[in-house]
Amino acid sequence: MNVVNLSEQPSLVSQYLAEMRDTNIQTDPLRFRRNLERLGEIMAYEISRTLDFSAEKIKTPLGVEADCNVIADKIVLATIFRAGIPFHQGFLRYFDNAENAFVSAYRKYKEKENFDVLIEYLATPRLEGKTLVICDPMLATGASMELSYRALLTKGTPAKLHIASVIASQKAVDYMNSVMPEDATLWVGVIDPEINAHSYIVPGLGDAGDLAYGVKE
């Protein structure tokens, strides 16, 4: 699996990540959601550079044809609820003609630090032969991402797979490398070194869903 770490060179990604981590700034849920969208927009652009394009002649208002390149891939944007929604929206602003898929994956705790990941909801178009982009801001262990991908495969095998996360732990990156197709690409804003006993990324930024939409019961 190919891994693209966008923090290897300082850019706007670094600025938005700093704001999302900052305990003084991240208390503003509107700004937090907007930064998720911004990172989705940036990653959508970076992914677009790897896609297939076809040459088309486009007629302009002057009655002249212009030679243009347009995306040939049939893109499906898939999102894991709930923190993935604004991240997904950033991708959708750029891939505005994409089809969309949604997966509900959540932690069901058996004990304080012991949980299973469950899939309860799946809505997706057919995926056969298409380019699948799965968006989830936080990639802590990789378990939710793997199960969501397996659930999506029930609707066909995509021709290309891109996985996009804002922050991933090194453990999750290693796990993705062992369970995802060799030709898949993982796009991350930054890779953090570890996860804690509760499987939260360290240093991370906390619970992205709570920061975006409020604390859940």
Side-chain angles (χ1 to χ4, degrees), residues 71-215:
I71 295 174
D73 294 56
K74 294 182 178 179
I75 299 170
V76 178
L77 299 176
T79 297
I80 301 176
F81 289 147
R82 64 180 167 145
I85 297 173
F87 194 38
H88 177 103
Q89 186 60 40
F91 278 89
L92 193 57
R93 289 183 193 278
Y94 279 26
F95 295 134
D96 50 295
N97 292 319
E99 296 180 281
N100 295 270
F102 301 93
V103 183
S104 171
Y106 73 99
R107 296 178 178 185
K108 184 174 182 179
Y109 284 87
K110 296 180 288 187
E111 299 171 6
K112 187 175 181 179
E113 298 174 1
N114 187 12
F115 61 86
D116 292 325
V117 176
L118 301 181
I119 303 291
E120 281 200 342
Y121 175 81
L122 173 66
T124 177
R126 295 296 304 176
L127 301 176
E128 197 70 38
K130 298 177 182 178
T131 296
L132 176 62
V133 181
I134 309 179
C135 314
D136 191 15
M138 308 300 287
L139 195 63
T141 67
S144 295
M145 182 62 71
E146 181 193 11
L147 288 176
S148 297
Y149 173 62
R150 301 300 175 197
L152 288 162
L153 285 180
T154 63
K155 302 302 180 181
T157 302
K160 303 176 186 175
L161 173 62
H162 296 274
I163 299 166
S165 289
V166 174
I167 302 179
S169 73
Q170 185 60 57
K171 178 178 180 179
V173 172
D174 294 340
Y175 185 69
M176 289 290 96
N177 197 44
S178 69
V179 299
M180 291 297 175
E182 289 185 3
D183 58 353
T185 301
L186 172 62
W187 302 81
V188 294
V190 67
I191 299 174
D192 281 355
E194 59 185 296
I195 59 175
N196 64 17
H198 300 282
S199 294
Y200 279 94
I201 302 172
V202 179
L205 52 75
D207 190 305
D210 287 356
L211 290 168
Y213 296 110
V215 178

Side-chain angles (χ1 to χ4, degrees), residues 19-29 32 204-206 211-212:
E19 294 180 7
M20 293 176 70
R21 291 190 196 266
D22 192 318
T23 55
N24 295 313
I25 297 176
Q26 66 174 205
T27 54
D28 180 353
F32 188 84
L205 52 75
L211 290 168

